[in-house]
């Protein structure tokens, strides 16, 4: 609910359990007053304190009053170059070379429903479930306008932000930094949590106390990156899973980003989130506009799990679209780790036959089916079937796989081109390259210039033809290198700072076209595993391959970090062969299955290499996953332990929203001789309800939560246990 008090120019945005407030001051500045637990009403304007602070200048409109400075006031969308020296939010270069903007309130409008952003992903809600506040600010000197969008999705505790910059002046202006979100918190003694890592080790949480100065994570790789996620958290220093306040913020975007926070001289904190300003420069001619992507926030006073539950619901119900958003996803078997590039129709059919016996529902043919793609040095860009491997094209193979009772899916990597390809021979300047400079390769491939509509449309037309040639029900959209040599042959020198962003817009445009033409195809995102795992992609692909690391023990860490923002239903997770291809570790099939059940669940191995007993076990595990499907995919997710902290096991829980059932999964670490008795403590049960654990006599919910479930001594390393709690009364 969005409230406006005209007499004191105060805006209050209420969600189910949080409130967010700011006001327009007499000079037209938007000053932030509060973000925290929901309040019944009232003004927090008294929190805005003013004093004459040395070296904090005063706007001219204040006359000679020295107590008001933009440098010290908490603001909503601060201008730069006119007296605020904290992390800038908007930076411009005006036609006269000056770098100042001074945005003041002009007007506002409150509307039912949630705004959408043209060409960009955004959370959505039914008209009656959301509201939008649009505030127009203007620089009186240049005519530059900023339209701030606030969306409130009340039941999800979600506040969304976006901004549209309009050049309403009569001269061009260059934007060099446009953050989507600025949050000026009134206290600086906070912890910041970021989710960081590397290829095959993504989204490990790192928590630290804010120190004076700027702390930042970012990506300059053209995609969100394996190194830092564009979801971050703040919390009270004493906050944890079930207590203390915290807030999470995510950028709904899949390109370069920057998340920065400054603990200021007066012990407040400013957080900014948006497109990375690195190499960014977007020129607006008079009348032109630029829309910055959406950023979203959820506040919880019930610790991290409260925030996580709300992010999970919002991503499932207010971000993932199309028929697959809520449809039961198939248990798939992907051929990558089973065959790599070495396959033909016959081999695939043998794999499919074997997979069908174990209950697998979908066969995914990964990389290597097109052009001359026999290794990772050639073929990208040539999206026609390699008939030496698949005689007669896709149709006969897909038909035969369908006859076995399996659906069929395939892998694509549309944004890339190999130098050894027909596409590159015909259109060498369609790749991002700097004339006169040798091209930088990544995985022996170059990046196509998706900022050019004709380039992505050409690639799409080829792929569309292939997809229309057979009964394809799933596509994995991969991206296997970072962007370098970023220069578009289609833009003049002064517009090259737009290419990174225009590239992302091209990717989104092709994804949108794909969704329109193939609404029945389940799209899974991928970027060498989890290098583009973000809310932007989830608007188009309702699941994303979480990591190229399929080792169960490493996955515990990756999936733990991922779970803070992203729900199980979007986390691509498979059982692979042992010794694991990435770590060489050996874990039991049951452990690998239990870990993959904290995701979309599937297989990434050659079932023909399994023993009869293992295949029987595989069948049982697939049946078990099907039986637990709704609980796993739609249950409220709780992290019961922190796998980065020392301890004998890692545990998590999925609980039906009505409390009628729960699944507790435990995975032990290295075995220790004569170890202490271990107990796992479930959460989130109905205290008065009776639950049976794996079919045993029923016990009260509160007894289970406070007394815990004793873990049997199972012996051996990396053992998994699952406890199914079923309400009996
Ligand atoms: C990287 C992906 O993450 C893998 O799963 C696989 O699809 C390869 N690319 C194929 O090249």
């Amino acid at each position: 609910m969005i409230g406006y008090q005209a007499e004191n120019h105060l805006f209050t945005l209420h969600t189910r359990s949080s409130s967010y407030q700011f006001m327009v001051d007499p000079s037209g500045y938007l000053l932030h007053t509060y973000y925290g637990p929901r309040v019944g009403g009232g003004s927090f304007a008294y929190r805005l304190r003013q004093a004459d602070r040395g070296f904090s200048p005063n706007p001219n409109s204040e006359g000679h009053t020295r107590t008001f400075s933009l440098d010290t006031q908490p603001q909503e969308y601060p201008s730069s170059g006119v007296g605020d020296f904290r992390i800038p939010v908007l930076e411009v270069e005006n036609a006269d070379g000056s770098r100042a903007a001074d945005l003041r309130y002009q007007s506002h409008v409150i509307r039912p429903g949630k705004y959408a952003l043209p060409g960009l992903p955004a959370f959505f809600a039914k008209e009656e479930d959301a509201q939008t506040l649009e505030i127009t600010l203007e620089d009186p000197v240049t005519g530059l306008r900023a339209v701030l969008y606030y969306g409130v999705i009340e039941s999800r505790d979600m506040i969304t932000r976006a901004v549209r910059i309009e050049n309403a002046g009569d001269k061009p202006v260059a934007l060099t930094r446009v953050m989507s979100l600025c949050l000026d918190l009134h206290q600086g003694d906070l912890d910041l949590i970021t989710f960081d890592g590397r290829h095959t080790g993504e989204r490990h949480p790192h928590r630290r106390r804010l120190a004076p100065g700027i702390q930042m994570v970012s990506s300059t790789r053209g995609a969100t990156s394996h190194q830092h996620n564009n979801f971050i958290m703040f919390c009270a220093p004493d906050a944890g899973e079930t207590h203390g306040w915290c807030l999470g913020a995510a950028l709904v975007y899949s390109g370069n980003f920057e998340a920065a926070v400054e603990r200021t001289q007066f012990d407040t904190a400013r957080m900014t989130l948006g497109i990375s300003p690195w190499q960014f420069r977007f020129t607006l001619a008079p009348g032109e506009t630029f829309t910055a992507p959406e950023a979203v926030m959820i506040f919880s006073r019930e610790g991290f799990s409260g925030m996580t539950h709300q992010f999970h619901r919002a991503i499932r119900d207010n971000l993932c679209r199309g028929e697959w958003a809520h449809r039961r996803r198939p248990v798939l078997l992907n051929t990558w780790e089973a065959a790599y590039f070495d396959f033909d129709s016959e081999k695939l059919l043998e794999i499919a036959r074997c997979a069908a016996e174990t209950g697998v529902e979908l066969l995914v043919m990964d990389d290597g089916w097109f052009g001359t793609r026999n290794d990772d040095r050639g073929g990208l860009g040539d999206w026609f079937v390699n008939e030496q491997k698949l005689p007669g094209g896709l149709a006969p193979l897909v038909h035969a796989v369908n006859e076995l009772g399996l659906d069929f899916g395939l892998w694509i990597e549309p944004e890339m081109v190999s130098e050894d390809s027909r596409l590159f021979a015909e259109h060498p300047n369609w790749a991002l390259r700097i004339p006169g400079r040798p091209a930088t390769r990544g995985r022996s491939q170059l990046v196509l210039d998706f900022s050019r509509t004709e380039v992505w449309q050409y690639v799409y037309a080829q792929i569309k033809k292939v997809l229309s040639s057979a009964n394809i029900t799933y596509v994995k959209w991969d991206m296997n290198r970072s962007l370098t040599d970023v220069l578009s042959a289609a833009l003049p020198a002064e517009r090259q700072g737009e290419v990174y962003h225009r590239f992302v817009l091209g990717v989104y445009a092709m994804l949108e076209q794909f969704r329109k033409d193939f609404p029945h195809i389940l799209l899974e995102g991928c970027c060498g595993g989890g290098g583009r795992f973000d809310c932007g992609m989830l608007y188009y692909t309702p699941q994303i391959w979480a990591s190229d690391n399929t080792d169960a023990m490493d996955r515990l860490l990756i999936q733990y970090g991922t779970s803070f923002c992203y729900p199980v239903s979007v986390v691509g997770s498979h059982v692979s062969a042992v010794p694991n291809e990435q770590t060489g570790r050996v874990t039991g099939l049951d452990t690998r299955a239990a870990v993959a059940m904290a995701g979309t669940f599937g297989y990434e191995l050659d079932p023909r290499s399994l023993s009869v007993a293992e295949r029987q076990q595989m069948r049982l595990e697939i049946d078990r996953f099907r039986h637990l499907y709704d609980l796993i995919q739609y249950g409220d997710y709780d992290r019961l332990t922190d796998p980065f902290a020392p301890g004998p096991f890692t545990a998590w829980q999925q609980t039906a929203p009505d409390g009628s059932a729960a699944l507790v999964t435990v995975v032990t670490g290295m075995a220790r001789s004569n170890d202490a008795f271990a107990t796992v403590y479930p959460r989130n049960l109905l205290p008065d309800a009776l639950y049976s654990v794996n079919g045993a006599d029923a016990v009260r919910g509160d007894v289970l939560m406070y007394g815990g479930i004793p873990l049997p001594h199972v012996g051996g390393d990396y053992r998994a246990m699952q406890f199914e709690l079923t309400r009996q009364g």
Side-chain angles (χ1 to χ4, degrees):
M1 194 192 78
I2 299 175
Y4 174 61
Q5 278 176 28
E7 59 284 10
N8 45 12
H9 236 347
L10 192 72
F11 296 94
T12 311
L13 284 52
H14 293 291
T15 71
R16 199 191 57 166
S17 51
S18 69
S19 297
Y20 182 104
Q21 193 183 73
F22 58 93
M23 63 175 290
V24 184
D25 90 334
S27 303
Y29 293 114
L30 293 192
L31 303 183
H32 178 83
T33 59
Y34 178 75
Y35 187 26
R38 183 178 171 127
V39 293
S43 166
F44 288 94
Y46 67 87
R47 296 177 91 199
L48 300 169
R49 290 193 271 177
Q50 294 171 6
D52 180 0
R53 304 285 200 177
F55 293 87
S56 292
N58 320 105
N60 189 277
S61 49
E62 301 300 307
H64 285 278
T65 308
R66 294 191 192 172
T67 49
F68 182 92
S69 173
L70 295 175
D71 201 25
T72 62
Q73 292 303 304
Q75 297 176 68
E76 283 297 306
Y77 204 74
S79 314
S80 71
V82 288
D84 184 343
F85 298 98
R86 291 168 289 178
I87 324 169
V89 174
L90 174 72
E91 285 189 311
V92 303
E93 201 181 298
N94 298 307
D96 61 4
S98 66
R99 308 258 179 146
D102 188 4
L103 297 171
R104 315 265 183 137
Y105 172 88
Q106 289 292 310
S107 62
H108 77 268
V109 50
I110 297 173
R111 296 190 264 109
K114 160 83 174 50
Y115 64 83
L117 300 173
L120 282 166
F123 279 76
F124 55 84
K126 287 196 198 123
E127 179 100 343
E128 62 274 22
D129 293 342
Q131 268 184 304
T132 294
L133 165 65
E134 242 180 77
I135 299 190
T136 302
L137 310 175
E138 191 174 299
D139 182 323
V141 175
T142 60
L144 189 74
R145 266 191 212 140
V147 180
L148 308 186
Y149 295 93
Y150 293 82
V152 176
I153 308 180
E154 197 168 337
S155 64
R156 303 289 176 235
D157 282 324
M158 181 172 268
I159 291 180
T160 72
R161 303 266 316 250
V163 57
R164 191 177 79 235
I165 307 293
E166 295 174 6
N167 183 359
D170 54 8
K171 298 196 181 66
V173 60
L175 309 175
T176 54
R177 181 182 173 97
V178 187
M179 291 292 115
S180 300
L181 165 70
C182 170
L183 180 64
D184 274 353
L185 293 160
H186 287 243
Q187 69 270 50
D189 188 20
L190 299 173
D191 282 0
L192 166 70
I193 306 176
T194 57
F195 298 85
D196 321 290
R198 57 192 183 279
H199 178 226
T200 71
E202 299 90 342
R203 295 176 297 286
H204 292 186
H206 292 96
R207 178 173 180 167
R208 67 276 209 181
R209 186 66 44 88
L210 286 186
I214 297 176
Q215 289 111 92
M216 176 184 112
V217 290
S218 68
S219 167
T220 55
R221 294 167 178 271
T224 309
S225 89
H226 301 84
Q227 287 69 19
H228 303 287
N229 199 254
N230 57 17
F231 165 76
I232 63 168
M233 287 171 64
F234 289 97
C235 63
D238 63 350
E241 282 293 343
T242 54
H243 62 279
W245 74 262
C246 71
L247 73 88
L251 190 65
V252 189
Y253 190 62
S254 312
N256 290 343
F257 78 94
E258 182 188 286
V261 52
E262 178 172 0
R263 185 166 176 173
T264 72
Q265 55 178 335
F266 301 119
D267 223 8
T268 61
R270 167 171 293 174
M271 188 253 283
T272 63
L273 183 58
I275 293 179
S276 169
W278 179 83
Q279 296 200 2
F280 173 85
R281 185 188 171 83
F282 216 99
T283 304
L284 298 183
E288 284 185 342
T289 64
F290 173 84
T291 304
E294 177 168 271
V296 300
M297 295 184 291
I298 289 181
F299 177 91
S300 157
R301 62 170 177 168
E302 296 157 359
F304 307 156
S305 61
M307 176 211 71
T308 286
H309 294 167
Q310 288 291 58
F311 259 110
H312 286 191
R313 290 180 192 128
I315 289 175
R316 281 194 308 247
D317 298 341
N318 305 91
L319 184 64
C320 292
R321 297 176 298 164
E323 60 186 66
W324 284 102
H326 293 106
R327 187 163 151 199
R328 185 174 271 247
R329 316 266 175 84
V331 174
L332 67 82
L333 187 137
N334 179 297
T335 59
W336 180 239
E337 290 193 18
Y340 294 105
F341 296 102
D342 178 22
F343 61 81
D344 56 18
S345 293
E346 212 173 298
K347 187 168 180 179
L348 291 177
L349 275 172
E350 281 174 25
I351 292 176
R353 217 166 277 129
C354 196
E357 283 166 18
T358 62
V360 165
E361 296 158 315
L362 165 74
L363 182 81
V364 177
M365 177 173 66
D366 208 277
D367 196 354
W369 57 267
F370 51 90
T372 50
R373 184 82 167 161
N374 295 315
D375 57 34
D376 61 13
R377 291 193 169 200
L380 287 172
D382 292 344
W383 299 107
F384 48 84
V385 174
N386 178 336
E387 297 220 13
Q388 276 169 349
K389 289 184 181 177
L390 313 177
L394 277 186
L397 171 65
V398 176
H399 179 72
V401 169
N402 289 167
E403 290 281 284
L404 293 168
L406 295 184
D407 286 334
F408 191 90
L410 52 75
W411 177 98
I412 54 173
E413 192 178 2
E415 297 146 79
M416 299 293 156
V417 65
S418 307
E419 286 153 284
D420 177 14
S421 69
R422 272 196 219 166
L423 179 69
F424 189 74
E426 282 165 21
H427 299 285
N429 77 347
W430 279 11
L432 292 172
R433 290 165 84 191
I434 301 173
R437 196 178 281 283
T440 310
R441 299 189 183 97
R443 206 196 190 199
S444 298
Q445 64 200 44
L446 306 184
V447 185
L448 284 173
D449 183 359
F450 263 42
S451 73
R452 295 169 68 174
T453 306
E454 72 273 27
V455 174
W456 73 254
Q457 284 186 342
Y458 178 91
V459 172
Y460 179 64
Q462 276 196 320
I463 291 175
K464 186 173 174 184
K465 215 161 153 191
V466 175
L467 295 179
S468 311
S469 73
N471 179 25
I472 311 289
T473 60
Y474 164 105
V475 165
K476 175 176 171 188
W477 178 308
D478 207 346
M479 184 218 192
N480 282 301
R481 61 158 291 181
S482 307
L483 273 56
T484 57
D485 306 321
V486 174
L487 183 133
S488 171
L491 286 173
E494 67 277 12
R495 301 205 80 129
Q496 293 298 328
E498 302 175 15
V499 179
Y500 275 106
H501 180 60
R502 289 188 183 278
F503 177 90
V504 179
L505 294 181
V507 173
Y508 288 156
M510 176 164 158
L511 280 161
E512 193 61 22
Q513 190 61 47
F514 189 116
R515 286 191 68 262
K516 279 200 186 108
D517 292 345
F518 300 101
H520 307 308
I521 290 186
L522 169 60
L523 253 181
E524 175 153 359
C526 178
C527 174
R532 196 157 61 178
F533 204 113
D534 56 67
C535 288
M537 285 307 284
L538 289 172
Y539 188 65
Y540 306 94
T541 69
Q543 59 189 56
I544 301 177
W545 182 227
S547 177
D548 273 349
N549 188 341
T550 55
D551 174 80
M553 300 312 287
D554 275 5
R555 273 290 182 129
L556 288 181
L557 308 177
I558 295 166
Q559 291 174 188
Y560 169 79
T562 305
S563 75
F564 280 81
C565 177
Y566 304 101
V568 163
S569 58
V570 309
V571 178
S573 190
H574 299 164
V575 174
S576 63
V578 288
N580 179 267
E581 305 249 340
Q582 292 80 40
T583 62
R585 195 176 356 241
V586 175
T587 51
L589 196 53
D590 54 342
T591 300
R592 283 172 274 153
V595 174
M597 280 188 207
T600 53
F601 193 70
Y603 288 82
E604 182 107 4
L605 45 70
D606 187 343
R608 298 172 308 163
S609 64
L610 298 180
S611 67
V612 174
E614 283 173 323
R615 273 187 247 163
Q616 270 166 0
Q617 191 180 331
M618 190 169 156
R619 175 169 260 298
L620 290 177
E621 271 147 10
I622 291 175
D623 285 348
R624 182 165 170 70
F625 174 70
R626 286 209 191 97
H627 157 68
L628 293 168
Y629 188 89
D630 286 340
L631 189 53
I632 289 177
Q633 302 296 321
Y634 303 117
D636 285 332
Y637 186 92
D638 282 295
R639 295 166 291 272
L640 301 182
T641 63
D642 173 356
F644 290 92
F649 62 84
T650 298
W652 63 93
Q653 176 180 338
Q654 282 115 328
T655 312
D658 64 359
S660 61
L663 177 70
V664 174
T665 305
V666 173
V667 179
T668 66
M670 300 254 281
R672 284 183 283 203
S673 161
N674 200 22
D675 207 0
F677 293 118
T679 305
V680 63
Y681 293 89
R683 284 188 205 137
N684 214 2
L685 303 176
L686 299 171
D688 299 332
L690 293 172
Y691 293 91
S692 109
V693 180
N694 285 347
D697 288 346
V699 181
R700 283 178 60 92
D702 50 8
V703 170
L704 282 171
M705 286 193 285
Y706 310 135
I709 301 173
L711 299 183
H713 265 291
V714 283
D717 298 335
Y718 319 128
R719 301 295 307 276
M721 293 164 238
Q722 286 187 316
F723 300 96
E724 213 180 318
L725 280 58
T726 320
R727 187 174 176 182
Q728 303 294 327

